[in-house]
């Protein structure tokens, strides 16, 4: 199975692009959403998180205590790194298992941090979705009812888009000037030939 990653900065249009691939019957694994599921339900991962952050990391009903976890990792970079070192391999394993059970020419995995965490090296191809920062901020402010400064701050904390495009096999321009559907179709044609 060919595994293709889709990444890009906040509001670049990763999910929008993946929805178009889904219309072409390509299965998509949304890594950030699955990470949340695993943190709530994967017994092995949960026990490792409890060892790292303490029993308080989980509510009595077994759900992740997001507020508590956020309060720790946002003020302790080392703990955040350690948490990521637990979550990312669990997600990779789950995605691999998921991918092996798909019946298509290739599968997609969408995540914001494939380049930052190095996971892209384990994928066969990487698609990076790009859009001008101003456009991304405008779109996220509208989508999340957020404000300009907050979104800008989150973008400034991410790896610059240019660094992601350096390791891309395919780049999708989602500035709005070029047809997204046309670009996705072109990549899809290439991928099914591989
Ligand atoms: P995040 O990193 O925050 O999860 P994302 O990269 O997955 O974001 P999307 O959610 O796909 O980005 O897009 C952000 C917002 O911009 C959405 O509301 C989406 O509908 C809108 N959007 C995406 N592409 C375009 C476009 N070409 N023109 C106008 N709006 C767009």
């Amino acid at each position: 199975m060919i595994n293709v990653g889709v990444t890009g900065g906040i509001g670049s249009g990763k999910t929008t692009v993946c929805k178009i691939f889904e219309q072409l019957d390509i299965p998509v694994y949304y890594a950030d959403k699955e990470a949340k599921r695993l943190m709530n339900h994967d017994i092995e991962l949960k026990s490792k998180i409890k060892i790292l952050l303490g029993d308080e990391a989980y509510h009595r009903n077994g759900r992740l205590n997001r507020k508590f976890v956020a309060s720790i990792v946002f003020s302790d970079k080392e703990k955040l790194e350690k948490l990521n070192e637990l979550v990312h391999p669990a997600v990779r394993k789950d995605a691999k298992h998921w991918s092996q059970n798909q019946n298509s020419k290739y599968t997609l995995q969408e995540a914001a941090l494939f380049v930052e965490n190095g996971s892209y090296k384990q994928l066969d191809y990487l698609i990076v979705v790009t859009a001008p920062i101003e456009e991304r901020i405008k779109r996220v402010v509208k989508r999340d009812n957020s404000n300009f400064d907050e979104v800008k701050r989150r973008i400034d904390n991410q790896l610059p888009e240019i660094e992601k495009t350096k390791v891309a096999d395919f780049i999708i321009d989602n500035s709005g000037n070029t047809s997204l559907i046309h670009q996705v179709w072109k990549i899809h044609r290439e991928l099914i030939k591989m």
Side-chain angles (χ1 to χ4, degrees):
M1 176 62 76
I2 295 174
N3 293 306
V4 183
V6 178
T7 196
I10 296 164
S12 56
K14 300 177 288 295
T15 307
T16 306
V17 162
C18 287
K19 295 285 169 204
I20 301 174
F21 277 101
E22 281 181 332
Q23 294 301 310
L24 300 169
D25 278 341
I26 298 305
V28 182
Y29 182 93
Y30 292 93
D32 298 337
K33 189 184 95 194
E34 298 303 330
K36 283 183 192 141
R37 177 181 60 79
L38 292 168
M39 287 169 90
N40 276 314
H41 299 292
D42 185 298
I43 293 166
E44 204 184 319
L45 178 61
K46 283 171 76 167
S47 75
K48 287 180 183 166
I49 292 175
K50 278 184 199 168
I51 291 168
L52 177 69
L53 304 175
D55 285 348
E56 244 188 298
Y58 284 87
H59 292 294
R60 280 221 195 112
N61 65 7
R63 308 286 293 187
L64 185 74
N65 185 343
R66 302 184 65 80
K67 227 172 161 178
F68 174 79
V69 173
S71 73
I72 294 189
V73 298
F74 284 130
S75 56
D76 187 339
K77 218 173 158 198
E78 205 179 307
K79 280 264 162 67
L80 174 62
E81 271 168 27
K82 283 196 171 137
L83 179 65
N84 284 335
E85 280 165 18
L86 296 179
V87 176
H88 289 146
V91 174
R92 274 203 292 271
K93 190 173 147 203
D94 187 67
K96 194 172 170 194
H97 183 251
W98 168 87
S99 158
Q100 282 162 350
N101 285 303
Q102 302 306 311
N103 185 18
S104 56
K105 284 266 182 184
Y106 64 96
T107 66
L108 290 185
Q109 294 174 30
E110 189 238 64
L113 302 178
F114 274 143
V115 179
E116 287 86 340
N117 66 31
S119 299
Y120 75 96
K121 291 178 192 151
Q122 305 193 7
L123 296 160
D124 298 300
Y125 299 100
L126 184 68
I127 299 171
V128 174
V129 184
T130 67
I133 286 188
E134 297 293 317
E135 198 58 49
R136 287 162 56 196
I137 297 174
K138 237 175 19 196
R139 289 173 187 170
V140 174
V141 165
K142 192 170 163 203
R143 184 193 62 189
D144 299 344
N145 210 4
S146 182
N147 68 69
F148 185 95
D149 292 340
E150 160 64 14
V151 181
K152 174 90 170 49
R153 192 182 55 74
R154 283 168 58 205
I155 288 179
D156 288 344
N157 275 333
Q158 285 192 333
L159 192 69
E161 192 169 73
I162 183 88
E163 297 302 322
K164 299 189 184 200
T165 58
K166 277 183 192 164
V167 294
D169 298 291
F170 303 96
I171 296 172
I172 291 185
D173 169 10
N174 188 24
S175 59
N177 300 325
T178 320
S179 157
L180 214 47
I181 294 172
H182 183 73
Q183 294 178 77
V184 168
W185 178 248
K186 235 174 113 186
I187 294 171
H188 174 71
R189 299 296 305 168
E190 281 196 46
L191 287 170
I192 55 175
K193 271 193 262 157
M194 285 172 182

